[in-house]
Structures are given as structure tokens and as C-alpha cells.
Amino acid sequence: MSRPDNRDFEERYSACFIDFGMKTATGLLIGGMMGSFFMRGFKRWPMYVGGGLGFGMAYTNCEKSLNNFLLSMDPKACKIKKQP
């Protein structure tokens, strides 16, 4: 079972940048290895595809994390008071 995430917005936001870097770099590395091992020579397009997939996965995780935090907030605390 997963436990509830008690991080605040700033912690989640900074974790997103780390996630972007790690997943994009890993995708580039795996794509580069696939291009060099399985395609008889270094091809660049598998590296770009891997980096794009890593970036997309990180974006989805970040969006889900931030949306869960924002939707769990109390809507009464966000009311805008009318000025006279």
C-alpha cells in the first residue's frame, strides 16, 4: 500500500526538476546504448527517442504530483474577498 504524500508544494516542485534530469539522462543513455549495440554503429535517433520518453514520463509524474496537491487543498482557504 502506498502512504500519503505529506510534502508541500515547493518540495514537490523541486523534486520535479530532479526527476526531469534523471529520467531524461537515463533515456538518453539507454537510447545511446541501443543505437550503438543493436544498430551496428552510433545512431542518434534512438538517443533522442529515449530522452523524449524520459522527459514525457517525468512530466506526467510531475503533473500528477502537483495536481494531487492542489486538488487536496481546502477550497474555502482560497476565497478571494471582495473589496468595498
Side-chain angles (χ1 to χ4, degrees):
M1 292 191 86
S2 64
R3 56 190 170 107
D5 193 2
N6 295 328
R7 297 180 295 172
D8 62 346
F9 187 79
E10 290 83 16
E11 289 174 348
R12 289 175 190 240
Y13 194 70
S14 63
C16 284
F17 284 108
I18 296 169
D19 197 32
F20 276 120
M22 288 181 57
K23 285 193 168 116
T24 303
T26 303
L28 288 170
L29 181 68
I30 291 173
M33 289 177 11
M34 292 294 168
S36 65
F37 290 144
F38 296 118
M39 297 190 176
R40 303 281 184 209
F42 186 76
K43 307 280 185 194
R44 290 191 183 205
W45 68 267
M47 196 168 70
Y48 296 142
V49 170
L53 288 172
F55 187 81
M57 289 187 329
Y59 180 82
T60 303
N61 289 343
C62 185
E63 184 180 28
K64 184 177 180 182
S65 173
L66 294 177
N67 281 340
N68 285 342
F69 177 77
L70 293 174
L71 292 175
S72 69
M73 290 176 55
D74 184 20
K76 292 180 182 176
C78 297
K79 275 194 168 178
I80 298 173
K81 295 182 180 179
K82 292 183 182 178
Q83 294 186 5

